[in-house]
């Protein structure tokens, strides 16, 4: 599956669009469960290497299908590299502010112990980072004494290790564009932005990655899995044979079964 096919997909419209700030991208789209009360929330963070040209549109089919399977699903938008508020530190502040606003925006339906952060590609990085906010250094964007503490994270082909992704030059320098340069130039930024440097996560984590991914190599998730396990985290790596980068967000692909299973695993976890 290619990028053009993913971007060309359509899905049922969200049930509501809410604002969590004044910026043009400070919005969150909600899909309510098709039936029954709200018992779980999945906050979806889209990928696109943090670049302005890729917004939440391509993740809507996945969001709609997650709602059909009983989850209140929230697609959280954020300012991206190439926009005035994007990159460091605005992208990170957006994620933090949007997450912390969700309980009030939903009338208290979003609760820490029933919320899963799910991110694809660069969104996987942001989901893992958001779950690590309790470990952020003082003064870091997104630091809060009482952040929304999700029950766990599902990372789909996530950019889990920014320093390694910078070394591999993913997307021709995407990490450098996000943070301004490499780790040698901005060590403090990497310490505050890289999930691999904020371990232990202290939350259930499932990493899903296809072994045919040509955009974010499987070794990125494998490396994060080793680091998180060494720190004592409860983390699982699911390798999908034959799956590429975009199949993981295709609700019609076999990979979707692994996504649903990961959500069940995280929500059933007793932390």
């Amino acid at each position: 599956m290619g990028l053009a096919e993913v971007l060309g997909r359509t899905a049922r419209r969200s049930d509501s669009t809410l604002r969590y700030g004044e910026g043009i991208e400070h919005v969150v789209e909600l899909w309510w469960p098709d039936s029954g009360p709200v018992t779980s929330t999945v906050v979806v963070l889209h990928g696109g290497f943090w670049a302005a040209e890729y917004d939440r549109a391509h993740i809507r089919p996945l969001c709609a299908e997650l709602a059909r399977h009983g989850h209140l699903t929230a697609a959280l938008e954020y300012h991206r590299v190439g926009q005035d508020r994007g990159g460091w530190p605005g992208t990170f502040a957006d994620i933090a502010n949007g997450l912390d606003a969700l309980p009030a925006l939903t009338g208290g339906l979003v609760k820490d112990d029933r919320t899963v952060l799910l991110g694809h590609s660069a969104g996987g990085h942001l989901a893992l980072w958001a779950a690590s906010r309790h470990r952020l250094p003082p003064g870091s964007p997104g630091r809060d004494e009482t952040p929304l503490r999700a029950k766990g994270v599902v990372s789909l082909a996530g950019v889990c290790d920014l320093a390694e992704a910078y070394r591999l030059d993913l997307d021709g320098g995407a990490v450098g564009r996000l943070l301004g340069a490499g780790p040698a130039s901005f060590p403090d930024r990497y310490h505050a932005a890289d999930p691999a440097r904020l371990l232990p996560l202290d939350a259930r984590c499932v990493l899903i990655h296809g072994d045919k991914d040509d955009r974010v190599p499987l070794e990125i998730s494998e490396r994060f899995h080793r680091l998180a396990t060494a720190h004592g985290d409860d983390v699982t790596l699911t390798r999908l044979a034959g799956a590429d980068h975009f199949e993981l967000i295709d609700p019609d692909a076999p990979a979707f079964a692994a996504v649903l299973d990961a959500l069940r695993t995280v929500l059933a976890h007793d932390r």
Side-chain angles (χ1 to χ4, degrees), residues 13-18 28-32:
R13 295 182 60 182
S14 59
D15 296 303
S16 59
T17 301
L18 307 174
V28 55
E29 290 190 59
L30 298 178
W31 286 259
W32 296 92

Side-chain angles (χ1 to χ4, degrees), residues 114-177:
R114 299 302 297 170
T115 296
V116 180
L117 306 179
L118 182 150
H120 174 245
S121 194
H125 155 256
L126 293 172
L128 289 163
W129 172 84
S132 306
R133 288 172 57 203
H134 61 296
R135 296 200 171 277
L136 289 175
S140 301
R143 179 179 167 86
D144 193 297
E145 296 301 323
T146 57
L148 177 74
R149 290 290 303 277
K151 190 163 189 178
V153 181
V154 176
S155 169
L156 307 178
V159 187
C160 310
D161 187 323
L162 292 187
E164 182 67 5
Y166 179 84
R167 186 186 71 80
L168 294 174
D169 196 33
L170 296 192
D171 198 49
V175 177
R177 292 190 293 272

Side-chain angles (χ1 to χ4, degrees), residues 202-215:
D202 298 327
R204 185 71 174 94
C205 177
V206 179
L207 311 167
I208 303 176
H209 216 122
D211 65 0
K212 299 300 182 183
D213 195 321
D214 61 355
R215 292 178 181 257

Side-chain angles (χ1 to χ4, degrees), residues 3 11 18 28 43 46 51 59 74 78 88 104 108 146 149 158 166 169 172 196 209 240-241 256 262:
L3 177 61
L18 307 174
V28 55
V43 180
H46 70 80
I59 209 76
Y78 51 93
W88 177 270
T146 57
R149 290 290 303 277
Y166 179 84
D169 196 33
H209 216 122
L240 296 183
F256 185 64

Side-chain angles (χ1 to χ4, degrees), residues 84-269:
D84 287 343
R85 299 173 185 250
W88 177 270
T91 294
F92 297 86
D94 281 1
I95 297 299
N97 293 336
L99 286 174
D100 290 346
L102 277 175
L105 289 175
T106 59
L109 290 176
V110 173
K111 302 177 185 298
D112 291 18
D113 63 348
R114 299 302 297 170
T115 296
V116 180
L117 306 179
L118 182 150
H120 174 245
S121 194
H125 155 256
L126 293 172
L128 289 163
W129 172 84
S132 306
R133 288 172 57 203
H134 61 296
R135 296 200 171 277
L136 289 175
S140 301
R143 179 179 167 86
D144 193 297
E145 296 301 323
T146 57
L148 177 74
R149 290 290 303 277
K151 190 163 189 178
V153 181
V154 176
S155 169
L156 307 178
V159 187
C160 310
D161 187 323
L162 292 187
E164 182 67 5
Y166 179 84
R167 186 186 71 80
L168 294 174
D169 196 33
L170 296 192
D171 198 49
V175 177
R177 292 190 293 272
L178 175 70
L179 296 181
S185 298
F186 292 117
D188 291 347
R189 293 186 184 183
Y190 278 79
H191 183 63
D194 192 343
R197 301 185 181 205
L198 295 169
L199 294 168
L201 190 64
D202 298 327
R204 185 71 174 94
C205 177
V206 179
L207 311 167
I208 303 176
H209 216 122
D211 65 0
K212 299 300 182 183
D213 195 321
D214 61 355
R215 292 178 181 257
V216 180
L218 172 60
E219 67 188 78
I220 292 283
S221 286
E222 290 177 330
R223 178 181 172 88
F224 185 84
H225 179 256
R226 290 193 300 271
L227 290 170
T229 299
H231 279 83
D233 272 331
D234 187 353
V235 55
T236 299
L237 172 59
T238 300
R239 300 173 180 85
L240 296 183
D244 66 18
H245 189 65
F246 295 107
E247 286 179 51
L248 275 62
I249 58 171
D250 179 5
D252 295 327
F256 185 64
V259 175
L260 292 178
D261 184 62
L263 291 173
R264 286 190 292 266
T265 296
V266 171
L267 288 167
H269 181 62

